[in-house]
Structures are given as C-alpha cells and as structure tokens.
C-alpha cells in the first residue's frame, strides 16, 4: 500500500501497530478502543483481544496437529505430518538433554510446547500485513494485529510463566533455606558481602523473565515494522524487497522460538542445581 503523504504513512503505520483493545474507558464505559489514546486511557486491565485470540488459536492448532499425528502414528511408512512431528520431538529431546542437567518429566513437554507454540505465533508474520486489517475492517473490526509475539503482553506473559516455574523449582529442589543461602552467599561466600550478593542475585533473577520476553518481542516487533515499511513502497519495489525479507524471516521465526525455549530450559536447569 503506497502512501500519498507523510500523514497517510504515519496513520498507516500506527493503524497496523494498534491492537484491538477492550477495556473500561472513563467516558465510554466497557467498549472497544477506537484509537491509541482511548486504549491508553483504559489502563492496565485492558485486554488485547487480537493477541489473546490468535495466541489461543495457535495453541489449539498445536494441540490439534500433534493429537492428529499421534492418532495417525504408524510403525510402517509415516506420513508427512508424522515425520514433521517426530523430527520436532527428537530435536526438542536432544536440546533438553544437552541443556537440562536435572531430572524432571515436565521440562521436555514444556520445551516442546514453548517451541511449537511460539513458532506458530511467529509464523503468522508471513501473512501479508494488509490482509488481516482489510478483512476484519470489512467485518466492522477497526484494528487487527495478527502476530501475538509483536505484543509485549504476550511475550512477557510467557516469560513470567517460566519465571514462576523457576521460583517454584528453586524452592522445591533447594528448600527455602537453600534458595536463600544461594542468593545471599553467591558469588562471594562471606557473611560481610551478603548485601552485595543479594542485590546482584536478585537483579540477575529478575532479569531472566525480562530478557526472555523483551528479546522475543523486540525481534518480532522490528520485523513487523520492516514489513509495514516495505508495504508503503511502490508495488514493484514492495515485492522485490518483501519476498527476500520474508524468506530470511523464516529463519528469524524459527531462531527466536528456539532461543526462548533453550533459555527457559537453561534457567530451569539452574533452578534444579545445588551450589
């Protein structure tokens, strides 16, 4: 979509980066936001319906695909879906074996869920940027962001979930006393440096969910912005740049899902270790 003026381009970019937001507005009550300003005025408890909807849809797609592959599994010649599922499971299994040094039957299924779910959400980025907004505008829906991982609410939500597991297993494996001792006597094992250790370790602990969530969000959001900027160019230039960028982004989509998964497994492995 080519822009005829700077204002048109600015509106086009803002429109494509705006989530479909539902919340309580001070003047309009419970309603959908019709602008970025209204979305901000709805405050913290406003819900991004597009992020929620597409992330749940990709989760259900993941469950359906793997359930279908499981029901169709055969010891004979496997079909394409079974081949792909088996490759993904073996890949995640090898990854977990290399990164996780404890014993926990939850870690491998968690890693598989994270990797496939994030990959499917990222994969929505390959849908041309104008398709979803134009389709839903015809249905009377003003905004529609298709890729949940371009929303920090989604990426930080997953990261906080992983962080909760880190705290849970740290307390379960090490005990309250062992976990407190690790925070207070690492890296310097001396009582006089406990305040310094606590500050450093607590900061390091809190950085884990931030690094997980913001890394995924930053990479996917930057890619989305580039797709939008390419869509503003003339038609012949747009397709010349869009196809190579989309092909390159297939690698980015997979890599970001892999990085989030591996770091989650590494952090959970650290939660199972005794110092």
């Amino acid at each position: 979509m080519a822009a005829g003026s700077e204002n048109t381009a600015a509106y086009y970019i803002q429109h494509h980066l705006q989530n479909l937001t539902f919340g309580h507005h001070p003047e309009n009550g419970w309603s959908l936001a019709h602008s970025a300003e209204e979305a901000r005025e709805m405050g913290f408890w406003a819900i991004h319906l597009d992020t929620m909807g597409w992330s749940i849809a990709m989760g259900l797609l993941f469950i359906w695909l793997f359930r279908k592959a499981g029901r169709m599994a055969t010891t004979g010649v496997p079909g394409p879906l079974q081949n792909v599922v088996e490759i993904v499971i073996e890949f995640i299994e090898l990854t977990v074996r290399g990164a996780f040094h404890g014993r926990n039957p939850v870690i491998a299924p968690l890693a598989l869920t994270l990797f496939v779910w994030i990959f499917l959400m990222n994969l929505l980025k390959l849908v041309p940027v104008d398709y979803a907004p134009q389709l839903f505008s015809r249905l009377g829906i003003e905004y529609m962001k298709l890729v949940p991982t371009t929303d920090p609410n989604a990426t930080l939500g997953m990261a906080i979930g992983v962080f909760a597991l880190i705290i849970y297993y740290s307390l379960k494996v090490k005990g309250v006393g062992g976990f407190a001792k690790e925070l207070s006597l690492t890296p310097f094992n001396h009582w006089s440096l406990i305040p310094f250790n606590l500050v450093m370790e607590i900061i390091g602990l809190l950085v884990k969910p931030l690094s997980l969530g913001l890394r995924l969000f930053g990479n996917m959001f930057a890619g989305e912005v580039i797709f939008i900027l390419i869509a503003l160019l003339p038609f012949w230039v747009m397709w010349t740049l869009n196809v190579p960028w989309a092909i390159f982004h297939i690698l980015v989509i997979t890599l970001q899902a892999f990085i989030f998964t591996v770091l989650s497994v590494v952090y959970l492995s650290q939660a199972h270790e005794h110092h």
Side-chain angles (χ1 to χ4, degrees), residues 19-91:
N19 286 99
L20 178 64
T21 307
F22 177 80
H24 187 272
H25 190 269
E27 296 179 1
N28 303 327
W30 292 100
S31 61
L32 292 173
H34 298 291
S35 65
E37 290 73 19
E38 282 191 20
R40 282 194 294 269
E41 290 171 356
M42 287 178 176
F44 178 78
W45 295 108
I47 300 174
H48 291 172
L49 297 180
D50 43 10
T51 296
M52 292 290 293
W54 288 109
S55 60
I56 292 171
M58 292 303 101
L60 293 175
L61 177 61
F62 160 58
I63 294 171
W64 179 78
L65 286 173
F66 275 66
R67 185 173 183 269
K68 183 178 180 181
R71 295 182 66 179
M72 295 172 59
T74 175
T75 55
V77 179
L81 179 60
Q82 184 179 340
N83 275 327
V84 171
V85 168
E86 287 180 354
I87 289 171
V88 172
I89 291 175
E90 290 175 4
F91 172 70

Side-chain angles (χ1 to χ4, degrees), residues 88-106:
V88 172
I89 291 175
E90 290 175 4
F91 172 70
I92 294 298
E93 185 179 3
L94 289 173
T95 301
V96 172
R97 285 181 181 177
F100 186 77
H101 306 297
R103 283 191 174 185
N104 191 330
V106 172

Side-chain angles (χ1 to χ4, degrees), residues 186-207:
T186 305
F188 303 108
N189 190 10
H190 194 277
W191 65 267
S192 63
L193 294 173
I194 287 178
F196 176 79
N197 289 337
L198 282 173
V199 171
M200 295 297 293
E201 287 297 304
I202 290 174
I203 291 175
L205 195 62
L206 295 177
V207 162

